[in-house]
């Protein structure tokens, strides 16, 4: 019963800042849209630069092959900023045709590893000599798919929004509401559970909005609804218990927000949310296997591969850690009251 | 002349003793270089190591964070509750502002140069004689950023709210400029957007100077940064009133 009272009180409080509350509800959907728009505008393609003179017959041969190719964009490279363009990523590889009149003497300039330069050189030479289109296969093992990337981003965003919601705990502790609860004939866990239920309801609304956006804008998440719900429930359980724990040990709003943002970013970085997990150095792979983002990415990958497979171990692990954090926050707050 | 000299030495000693200077401009760049260099060590091949790339690219980014540090430096007197002493002291506003900007520039610039020289030696970056030009670029960027920061810190009452919003554009400009990952695009609209960030130009001029031996863009960028810094110094001197120091009483932060 007390849980319901705390929950109702929180809803009444959210009416005071309606604009901020609605912004919080829409935040994950907005971030999802922005990242999708940017991702679509810069479609993954290999950027080639070519150094040539017009009279060179080899140039026309190369252009004939490149014009037939898909997934490759090419431009004339500038000689003055050759190395800078390669290092800063304007071109991934530059075909050097300056002193070359036959295709077999073709040179490729790049700052990638020597073995990949050799591979690409051979592929281009073979395609151009036979007049076919150029198909460059860059090593893509270990890159994360779109669905996994989206789930990793949502994890980060949910931790941050859950912490903003759970800052009510800190505000109540400063204003003395927690002490009043301690004097009342109720247990402290009903107060925390009430706040957590409010957080949960807000998170469920956010997930419904996100799912609506995914369907409306055809965002490439290849999970059926049951798998999506399972993954999202694991994410929100973890983020809410993490937020409650962080707010129970922090002394101010600012430090709670900063701590949870840092932890969320660190988990995403180490778990392979930005770069593929298997592309990281070996030591960091060992360290990153404790990150929840790594478990989430593995689960999503397993769900995408076979539709019947439910990767239960990772999900149970996430829920288990959430329960531990939740109990920890109850213990810490009860100590605070006494 | 006397007043500004004393103000400058006083401010300079305070900057050197403050932990913000060392934390943001010595320790933070080194940690970011080591962390990002380790994380992305598979990205580059044998001719360029990831540590070299991140050493050259993290320095301009950490310099832009000086905007926040110098905004705090501008509000120092307000938080130390020495406002009344400044109001009755026979010192001009121009001396206060210029002394603050110069002390911030020199102290943060020295930290940047130290990090640059350490990474030059440890990671053996092939800088050669262009190290002086890069030092000039970093110092002019520090001057520009400190001028903007002091203008914000001295001119605004509630600069804490603005400071929280300053972080976001700085991070976006850094990501677009390639400070965290070498980013490139074939979409012409995105290319124009990428060139809007000042960090793109600074990073590009550093690499053009070292690897392609073309320093024209570096000189042009340095002059533009110095000009912007001069503009903000002028604006700060014109708009500063000593009564601004009184406003620090309301927002006492616990350090």
């Amino acid at each position: 019963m007390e849980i319901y009272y705390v929950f109702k009180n929180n809803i009444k409080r959210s009416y005071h800042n309606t604009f901020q509350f609605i912004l919080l509800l829409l935040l994950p959907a907005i971030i999802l849209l922005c990242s999708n728009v940017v991702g679509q505008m810069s479609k993954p393609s290999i950027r080639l630069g070519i150094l040539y003179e017009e009279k060179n017959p080899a140039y026309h041969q190369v252009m004939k092959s490149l014009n037939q190719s898909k997934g490759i964009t090419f431009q004339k490279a500038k000689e003055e900023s050759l190395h800078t363009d390669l290092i800063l990523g304007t071109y991934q590889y530059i075909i050097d045709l300056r002193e070359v009149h036959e295709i077999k003497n073709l040179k490729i300039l790049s700052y990638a590893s020597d073995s990949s330069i050799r591979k690409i050189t051979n592929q281009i030479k073979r395609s151009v000599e036979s007049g076919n289109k150029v198909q460059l296969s860059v090593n893509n093992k270990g890159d994360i798919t779109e669905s996994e990337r989206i789930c990793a981003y949502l994890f980060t965003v949910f931790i941050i929004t859950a912490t903003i919601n759970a800052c009510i705990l800190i505000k109540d502790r400063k204003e003395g509401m927690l002490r009043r609860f301690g004097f009342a004939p109720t247990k402290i866990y009903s107060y925390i559970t009430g706040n957590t239920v409010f957080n949960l309801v807000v998170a469920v609304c956010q997930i419904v909005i996100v799912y609506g956006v995914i369907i409306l804008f055809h965002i490439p998440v290849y999970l059926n609804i049951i798998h999506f719900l399972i993954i999202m429930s694991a994410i929100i359980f973890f983020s809410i218990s993490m937020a409650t724990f962080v707010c129970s040990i922090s002394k101010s709003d600012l430090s709670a927000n900063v701590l949870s943002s840092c932890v969320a970013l660190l988990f995403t970085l180490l778990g392979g949310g930005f770069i593929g997990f298997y592309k990281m150095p070996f030591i960091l792979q060992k360290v990153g296997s404790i990150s929840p983002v790594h478990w989430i990415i593995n689960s999503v990958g397993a769900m995408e591969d076979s539709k019947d497979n439910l990767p239960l171990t990772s999900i149970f692990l996430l829920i288990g850690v959430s329960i531990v954090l939740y109990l920890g926050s109850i213990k810490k707050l009860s100590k605070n009251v006494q | 002349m006397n007043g500004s000299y004393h103000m400058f030495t006083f401010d300079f000693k305070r900057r050197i003793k403050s932990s913000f200077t060392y934390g943001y401009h010595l320790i933070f760049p080194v940690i970011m270089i080591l962390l990002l260099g380790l994380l992305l060590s598979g990205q580059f091949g044998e001719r360029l190591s990831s540590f070299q790339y991140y050493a050259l690219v993290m320095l301009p980014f950490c310099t832009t964070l000086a905007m926040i540090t110098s905004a705090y430096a501008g509000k120092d007197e307000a938080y130390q509750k020495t406002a009344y002493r400044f109001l009755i002291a026979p010192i001009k506003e121009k001396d206060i502002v210029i002394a603050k900007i110069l002390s911030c520039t020199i102290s943060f610039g020295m930290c940047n140069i130290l990090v640059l020289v350490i990474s030059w030696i440890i990671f053996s970056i092939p800088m050669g004689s262009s190290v002086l030009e890069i030092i000039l670029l970093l110092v002019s960027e520090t001057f520009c950023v400190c001028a903007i920061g002091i203008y914000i810190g001295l001119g605004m009452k509630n600069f804490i709210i603005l400071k929280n919003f300053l972080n976001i554009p700085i991070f976006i400009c850094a990501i677009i400029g390639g400070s965290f990952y070498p980013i490139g695009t074939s979409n012409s609209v995105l290319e124009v957007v990428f060139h809007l960030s000042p960090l793109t130009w600074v990073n590009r001029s550093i690499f053009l100077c070292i690897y392609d031996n073309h320093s024209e863009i570096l000189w042009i960028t340095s002059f533009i940064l110095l000009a912007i810094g001069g503009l903000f110094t002028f604006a700060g001197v014109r708009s500063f009133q000593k009564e601004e120091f009184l406003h620090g009483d309301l927002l006492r932060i616990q350090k």
Side-chain angles (χ1 to χ4, degrees):
Chain A
M1 201 53 196
E2 291 83 24
I3 299 177
Y4 174 66
Y5 284 142
V6 173
F7 172 67
K8 208 168 77 160
N9 190 27
N10 275 332
I11 293 192
K12 276 198 204 151
R13 272 199 273 203
S14 70
Y15 279 147
H16 292 306
N17 306 340
T18 326
F19 179 66
Q20 198 180 342
F21 186 62
I22 293 184
L23 202 65
L24 205 68
L25 277 182
L26 293 175
L27 196 66
I30 296 176
I31 292 191
L32 188 64
L33 268 179
C34 288
S35 70
N36 196 42
V37 161
V38 172
Q40 275 195 357
M41 273 180 95
S42 53
K43 269 204 166 47
S45 64
I46 302 197
R47 296 178 296 276
L48 286 181
I50 316 181
L51 284 172
Y52 64 90
E53 287 134 32
E54 278 293 341
K55 302 177 270 200
N56 197 337
Y59 163 64
H60 296 287
Q61 245 182 314
V62 168
M63 285 306 283
K64 187 169 138 225
S65 287
L66 284 180
N67 276 329
Q68 303 169 12
S69 327
K70 278 198 219 140
I72 299 183
T73 46
F74 47 91
Q75 262 181 346
K76 179 171 187 180
K78 296 197 196 100
E79 204 170 323
E80 310 87 59
S81 56
L82 182 66
H83 295 276
T84 310
D85 285 333
L86 279 174
I87 296 176
L88 286 179
T90 316
Y91 305 119
Q92 282 161 313
Y93 305 97
I94 290 189
I95 303 182
D96 191 358
L97 295 172
R98 279 175 295 186
E99 271 123 47
V100 160
H101 294 284
E102 290 173 37
I103 296 294
K104 62 177 192 224
N105 298 335
L106 193 120
K107 264 195 311 178
I108 304 271
L109 304 170
S110 168
Y111 273 88
S113 61
D114 283 339
S115 54
S116 65
I117 297 181
R118 270 197 300 269
K119 232 181 358 179
I120 301 274
T121 318
N122 288 335
Q123 284 172 350
I124 291 186
K125 274 190 199 167
R126 270 200 304 263
S127 324
V128 171
E129 275 169 356
S130 56
N132 293 333
K133 63 179 178 181
V134 178
Q135 271 173 325
L136 294 178
S137 63
V138 192
N139 191 8
N140 270 334
K141 175 187 170 289
D143 264 344
I144 56 176
T145 63
E146 270 304 307
S147 325
E148 292 167 355
R149 190 188 300 265
I150 288 175
C151 287
Y153 279 169
L154 282 177
F155 177 81
T156 319
V157 172
F158 270 118
I159 287 193
I160 297 180
T161 49
T163 314
I164 296 179
N165 251 337
C167 280
I168 293 177
L169 282 173
I170 299 181
K171 197 167 118 185
D172 281 346
R173 192 168 18 149
K174 281 200 185 141
E175 289 174 1
M177 165 99 109
L178 200 62
R179 198 179 283 174
R180 270 181 270 162
F181 232 89
F183 285 135
T186 54
K187 297 247 195 269
I188 193 71
Y189 77 83
S190 51
Y191 170 73
I192 300 180
T193 318
N195 278 318
T196 320
V197 166
F198 173 68
N199 227 343
L200 199 70
V201 167
V202 169
V204 166
C205 297
Q206 286 174 326
I207 288 192
V208 168
I209 297 179
V210 160
Y211 193 65
V213 161
I214 287 181
I215 295 202
L216 213 65
F217 291 94
H218 302 293
I219 294 184
V221 173
Y222 303 117
L223 294 171
N224 60 12
I225 186 162
I226 299 182
H227 288 163
F228 184 72
L229 282 177
I230 292 178
I231 277 283
M232 284 295 143
S233 343
I235 290 183
I236 55 177
F237 277 139
F238 185 81
S239 49
I240 290 177
S241 34
M242 168 123 243
T244 320
F245 184 67
V246 162
C247 285
S248 59
I249 61 175
S250 310
K251 291 202 169 58
S252 74
D253 271 7
L254 184 68
S255 56
N257 278 324
V258 165
L259 183 63
S260 77
S261 318
C262 288
V263 165
L265 277 175
L266 205 69
F267 276 157
T268 318
L269 202 70
L270 282 177
F274 298 127
I275 327 156
F277 186 74
Y278 296 102
K279 280 187 171 167
M280 298 201 301
F282 187 65
I283 307 176
L284 285 179
Q285 280 186 20
K286 290 293 177 199
V287 172
S289 49
I290 60 163
S291 150
V293 173
H294 178 56
W295 306 333
I296 289 177
I297 290 183
N298 274 348
S299 328
V300 174
M303 283 180 187
E304 272 185 314
D305 282 339
S306 84
K307 304 285 178 195
D308 312 321
N309 203 0
L310 282 182
L312 287 175
T313 14
S314 314
I315 309 268
F316 280 156
L317 204 53
L318 268 176
I319 297 188
V321 175
S322 332
I323 295 182
V324 166
L325 286 174
Y326 186 63
L327 293 173
S329 54
I330 293 186
K331 207 154 183 271
K332 181 74 171 68
L333 275 182
S334 351
K335 254 196 248 174
N336 261 346
V337 169
Q338 284 147 14
Chain B
M1 180 58 203
N2 232 355
S4 66
Y5 173 71
H6 284 301
M7 197 63 216
F8 169 73
T9 41
F10 174 68
D11 257 333
F12 187 66
K13 278 189 210 152
R14 199 186 247 166
R15 291 289 85 69
I16 292 199
K17 288 187 205 157
S18 138
S19 58
F20 264 129
T21 317
Y22 300 124
Y24 266 108
H25 299 283
L26 263 186
I27 300 181
F28 181 67
V30 169
I31 292 183
M32 288 300 281
I33 293 173
L34 290 176
L35 196 70
L36 284 171
L38 192 64
L39 203 66
L40 285 135
S41 47
Q43 177 75 18
F44 297 97
E46 289 85 16
R47 288 161 67 186
L48 174 79
S49 87
S50 58
F51 289 106
Q52 289 174 340
Y53 177 79
Y54 281 107
L56 289 173
V57 143
M58 270 293 128
L59 274 171
F61 167 61
C62 295
T63 312
T64 45
L65 294 180
M67 214 186 281
I68 300 172
T69 329
S70 49
Y72 270 111
K75 274 293 191 191
D76 241 346
E77 273 79 16
Y79 289 135
Q80 307 272 357
K81 299 204 196 241
T82 50
Y84 293 109
R85 274 181 257 172
F86 270 94
L87 278 175
I88 55 177
I91 192 168
K92 294 204 206 91
E93 282 91 357
K94 186 175 79 161
D95 295 333
I96 301 180
V97 173
I98 292 186
K100 272 191 197 286
I101 294 181
L102 276 180
S103 64
C104 281
T105 311
I106 294 184
S107 52
F108 299 155
M110 276 181 1
C111 291
N112 281 338
I113 295 176
L114 192 64
V115 175
L116 179 73
V117 168
I118 291 178
S119 24
W120 179 27
I121 296 176
I122 295 185
F123 302 128
S124 32
I125 304 177
M127 278 204 267
S129 62
S130 37
V131 74
L132 290 172
E133 289 165 322
I134 296 189
I135 289 181
L136 170 72
L137 178 69
L138 283 178
V139 168
S140 45
E141 190 188 347
T142 317
F143 174 64
C144 172
V145 162
C146 285
I148 299 179
I150 298 259
Y151 176 69
I152 293 176
L154 285 181
M156 312 220 170
K157 244 195 303 197
N158 293 336
F159 89 103
I160 292 230
I161 302 173
L162 187 70
K163 178 206 69 142
N164 286 333
F165 283 116
L166 262 182
N167 271 326
I168 303 176
I170 291 181
F171 266 102
I172 296 181
C173 284
I175 294 178
I176 292 179
S179 300
F180 293 109
Y181 194 76
I183 192 169
T185 177
S186 40
N187 189 332
S188 49
V189 172
L190 272 186
E191 212 175 300
V192 170
V193 170
F194 284 2
H195 277 87
L196 285 177
S197 150
L199 279 175
T200 318
W201 291 105
V202 173
N203 287 340
R204 221 181 141 73
S205 48
I206 291 182
F207 281 104
L208 274 172
C209 183
I210 297 182
Y211 288 96
D212 280 314
N213 297 317
H214 273 101
S215 344
E216 290 99 30
I217 295 201
L218 188 140
W219 287 101
I220 296 176
T221 318
S222 312
F223 280 135
I224 292 181
L225 287 169
L226 282 172
I228 296 179
L231 201 70
F232 272 95
T233 314
F234 183 66
V237 163
R238 288 298 289 259
S239 72
F240 175 57
Q241 312 247 343
K242 280 196 219 167
E243 284 78 14
E244 280 300 323
F245 285 149
L246 288 171
H247 292 139
D249 290 345
L250 300 169
L251 292 167
R252 179 106 178 110
I253 51 165
Q254 284 118 5
K255 279 205 187 162

